[in-house]
Amino acid sequence: PIKKFKVCPLFKVAGVWGQSPHGLKKGVVKMPKGGYGGMPPGGMGGLMKQAQKMQRKMAEMQEELKSKKTEASSGGGAVKVVVNGEHIIESLEISEDVLDDVEMLQDLVVSAVNEAIRQIDDLTQSEMSKLTGGMGLPPGLL
């Protein structure tokens, strides 16, 4: 006869496999002494403290990133754009050499702005991944 085990709903929902006397059974978890398996030292309270600490660090880093700036140019320097960490254009320089051709000027401005935004996004992602240790968390999670 197979014994039925009571399973913590947290593990049952997660579909964790545990050890029963008759082999592996879905939803059956053998708990180690001192709490839930896989839980960091300090249990759920310790996990919450770690999450709060990471949130504080993320907020600090986001404030720091707001002051960062990237510069991009197009048309061999005919158009230069500076964008800050909040995706706000701080400056735009246009050479007089390209003022005669409106379509080309529009293309150069769009190209320079897009490149500056891409650079600031790359910088932001790089800095955040240092903090999260490359966990690949979705944006806005913390």
Side-chain angles (χ1 to χ4, degrees), residues 98-117:
V98 293
L99 292 178
D100 296 334
D101 188 348
V102 174
E103 285 184 33
M104 182 176 71
L105 177 57
Q106 290 170 336
D107 290 343
L108 293 175
V109 169
V110 168
S111 177
V113 168
N114 286 338
E115 177 61 19
I117 290 171

Side-chain angles (χ1 to χ4, degrees), residues 8-142:
C8 172
L10 175 71
F11 289 107
K12 190 171 187 178
V13 170
V16 174
W17 292 75
Q19 185 69 42
S20 78
H22 304 287
L24 294 176
K25 301 285 183 194
K26 187 171 185 176
V28 177
V29 178
K30 184 177 179 182
M31 298 297 201
K33 289 184 181 179
Y36 298 110
M39 201 48 77
M44 190 59 97
L47 185 62
M48 292 303 292
K49 284 181 183 179
Q50 284 180 334
Q52 290 170 344
K53 183 178 177 182
M54 185 175 281
Q55 281 180 322
R56 279 193 305 277
K57 286 183 176 181
M58 288 279 247
E60 290 170 8
M61 184 169 287
Q62 287 170 340
E63 282 300 312
E64 193 177 307
L65 285 168
K66 286 180 182 181
S67 65
K68 300 283 184 182
K69 298 177 186 178
T70 59
E71 180 179 313
S73 63
S74 61
V79 175
K80 293 180 185 176
V81 178
V82 175
V83 174
N84 68 21
E86 294 180 287
H87 295 97
I88 295 173
I89 297 173
E90 292 200 349
S91 68
L92 173 65
E93 295 178 22
I94 300 172
S95 171
E96 291 182 17
D97 300 340
V98 293
L99 292 178
D100 296 334
D101 188 348
V102 174
E103 285 184 33
M104 182 176 71
L105 177 57
Q106 290 170 336
D107 290 343
L108 293 175
V109 169
V110 168
S111 177
V113 168
N114 286 338
E115 177 61 19
I117 290 171
R118 186 196 60 75
Q119 288 177 12
I120 203 73
D121 286 345
D122 288 350
L123 176 65
T124 300
Q125 184 177 3
S126 171
E127 292 297 314
M128 288 297 182
S129 69
K130 288 178 190 174
L131 180 66
T132 62
M135 286 189 287
L137 300 176
L141 182 65
L142 296 175

